[in-house]
Amino acid sequence: GGGKRDEEKDRHVVDAVKGFFKSLELGKSRPMADILQDTLRLLTIWFKNGDNDKLNDEMAKGLKEVSVDTWLAVIPQLIARIHTQYPRVNAIMHDLLCKVGKMHPQALIYPVTVASNTSSQHRRKAATAVIEEMKKSDSELVDEANLVSEEVIKLSITWHEAWHEGLEEASRMFFGEKDVESMLVVLTKLHLDLDAATNESGAKYGFSSVRNTAFLHCYGKDLEEANEWLTSFKKTRKIAEVHQAWELYYQVFRRITKQLNNLDKIELQHVSPKLLNVKVKGLKLAVPGTYRAHAPIVRIEAFSNSMDVIVSKQRPRKMTIQGSDGVAYPFLLKGHEDLRQDERVMQLFGLIN
């Protein structure tokens, strides 16, 4: 019968987990690759059998006994499962991440900050709970990571680029696919974002910065007028009003395209004075990707004054971070995959060495 087989499978699973923990405890001197393989297999079994109570008991027990360092290599996998359908797994995961965050805050702070900015509400909540716990031991580090993430998002896409891309997409929907509704969704979102940024002292894209003020000065009036035509169309459904709006959008689009072709350098003072200011006293925060357990921490000393924009459709930026070890670390910054949604992009803290 099914029940009997399941019991047997449950027992096997629990035995397997016990075995992995045993080998992790004994095999500290083994090659890193072997330890990593054991750790990954252990996690796979756990995530697949998250409803098995005995297994969760074993996990909770094993996590107490194994060195916290074991989990440093699999932080991306842990964060990927920061929220599952199993409440018990979530609770154990929270404890595990808090433990890592206490012993190795620098290893966890970037990925967990990224997860706290994701679009999934459950993941956001789980990540925020870990961050709140980390704040208790080191609020300064948490604040610095927030600052860096927010500013880097600003640097990876400017208003010019956001509108250029949005208008391109909206025009394809309207003129190409005759799909007025999808066009409205894209344009309405752009206008809302712009409004929000202008009003809340530029929360999302740092409107306080010179470059964005220039964008408004240059295009604000035309965009506002185009938006009035759209708003009117939503009431009257007169398609002529959409065409009126597009005459304005098209003018804006042409002018932005010209400006973007000349975008080959981004000066930090124009877009992110806050990051430029880091060089005054440096940060506690490690240079992304450099943290190693029990080795001296390479802290962020300064961000380079300007970034080169690589000429390609996505216009990625090349940014240099000065480490406290005197080394200049190059990073590639990609924007555009709807930045605020896409946490993989925020793992843009991927080193290109």
Side-chain angles (χ1 to χ4, degrees):
K4 181 119 172 104
R5 233 212 74 247
D6 284 350
E7 258 173 60
E8 212 167 294
K9 174 174 165 264
D10 283 357
R11 238 199 344 272
H12 280 307
V13 169
V14 172
D15 287 344
V17 165
K18 280 185 179 161
F20 278 126
F21 272 122
K22 199 98 212 118
S23 102
L24 284 174
E25 259 172 275
L26 301 175
K28 288 196 185 67
S29 56
R30 289 183 308 156
M32 193 53 220
D34 294 357
I35 296 178
L36 182 62
Q37 208 174 18
D38 277 355
T39 317
L40 288 171
R41 285 188 182 142
L42 173 62
L43 290 177
T44 305
I45 295 177
W46 183 31
F47 298 142
K48 275 206 181 108
N49 300 278
D51 50 355
N52 179 333
D53 285 332
K54 286 204 180 70
L55 182 132
N56 281 321
D57 292 341
E58 267 322 303
M59 283 304 300
K61 193 173 134 236
L63 293 176
K64 283 195 182 65
E65 291 160 9
V66 171
S67 151
V68 175
D69 297 10
T70 314
W71 309 104
L72 290 177
V74 294
I75 286 177
Q77 285 79 4
L78 298 177
I79 296 275
R81 303 296 178 114
I82 198 165
H83 178 83
T84 66
Q85 74 219 61
Y86 310 116
R88 182 92 195 278
V89 173
N90 297 343
I92 298 173
M93 182 61 83
H94 173 81
D95 290 346
L96 172 57
L97 287 171
C98 287
K99 229 179 186 168
V100 174
K102 204 173 171 63
M103 301 276 298
H104 302 282
Q106 298 272 15
L108 191 62
I109 191 63
Y110 285 116
V112 82
T113 302
V114 170
S116 72
N117 286 317
T118 173
S119 48
S120 144
Q121 202 187 339
H122 291 303
R123 289 176 58 73
R124 259 207 322 266
K125 230 174 114 181
T128 307
V130 175
I131 291 174
E132 285 308 314
E133 208 43 53
M134 288 177 75
K135 267 189 186 156
K136 292 178 188 168
S137 351
D138 197 339
S139 63
E140 193 184 356
L141 196 68
V142 171
D143 292 341
E144 289 183 355
N146 270 327
L147 170 82
V148 171
S149 315
E150 274 170 31
E151 295 297 304
V152 161
I153 287 182
K154 269 182 221 172
L155 293 173
S156 30
I157 183 162
T158 59
W159 278 115
H160 295 78
E161 289 164 307
W163 276 91
H164 189 268
E165 237 165 73
L167 287 172
E168 208 167 24
E169 195 185 350
S171 98
R172 202 181 56 241
M173 288 164 172
F174 181 56
F175 297 104
E177 300 166 22
K178 309 274 179 275
D179 179 352
V180 181
E181 290 315 309
S182 300
M183 173 206 79
L184 283 174
V185 170
V186 173
L187 293 172
T188 307
K189 184 174 183 318
L190 280 169
H191 282 292
L192 284 173
D193 279 355
L194 192 59
D195 278 352
T198 324
N199 299 336
E200 357 158 353
S201 73
K204 259 306 188 264
Y205 293 100
F207 238 91
S208 48
S209 72
V210 183
R211 168 168 294 208
N212 290 321
T213 317
F215 179 84
L216 263 194
H217 181 74
C218 216
Y219 304 108
K221 209 170 143 308
D222 285 349
L223 290 176
E224 203 173 321
E225 200 182 323
N227 197 23
E228 281 163 16
W229 284 114
L230 278 193
T231 311
S232 173
F233 167 75
K234 288 177 190 170
K235 296 196 194 75
T236 65
R237 306 310 279 184
K238 285 189 185 139
I239 203 76
E241 299 186 308
V242 178
H243 286 285
Q244 290 282 4
W246 270 106
E247 280 186 24
L248 291 152
Y249 286 135
Y250 184 58
Q251 298 291 343
V252 168
F253 184 77
R254 276 209 350 236
R255 282 158 55 208
I256 288 180
T257 306
K258 246 205 201 102
Q259 274 191 298
L260 283 181
N261 291 338
N262 302 324
L263 176 71
D264 58 351
K265 238 193 185 24
I266 292 178
E267 298 289 339
L268 243 55
Q269 65 189 40
H270 293 156
V271 188
S272 175
K274 286 183 184 162
L275 284 190
L276 195 56
N277 214 14
V278 163
K279 62 179 176 210
V280 180
K281 49 181 205 308
L283 297 178
K284 222 171 138 170
L285 192 63
V287 174
T290 59
Y291 179 77
R292 299 288 171 269
H294 318 297
I297 291 176
V298 179
R299 303 182 192 278
I300 295 176
E301 199 115 286
F303 290 84
S304 52
N305 296 341
S306 67
M307 299 188 299
D308 290 329
V309 178
I310 296 162
V311 184
S312 74
K313 190 176 178 303
Q314 299 287 9
R315 282 184 295 276
R317 286 78 157 116
K318 220 178 124 194
M319 171 192 239
T320 309
I321 298 180
Q322 209 53 49
S324 54
D325 56 354
V327 177
Y329 292 86
F331 287 84
L332 200 60
L333 220 57
K334 300 187 188 75
H336 300 292
E337 286 94 14
D338 186 6
L339 249 180
R340 284 138 305 159
Q341 304 298 332
D342 190 341
E343 40 186 299
R344 287 182 303 277
V345 177
M346 278 292 306
Q347 290 172 337
L348 87 184
F349 298 120
L351 235 54
I352 48 160
N353 286 341

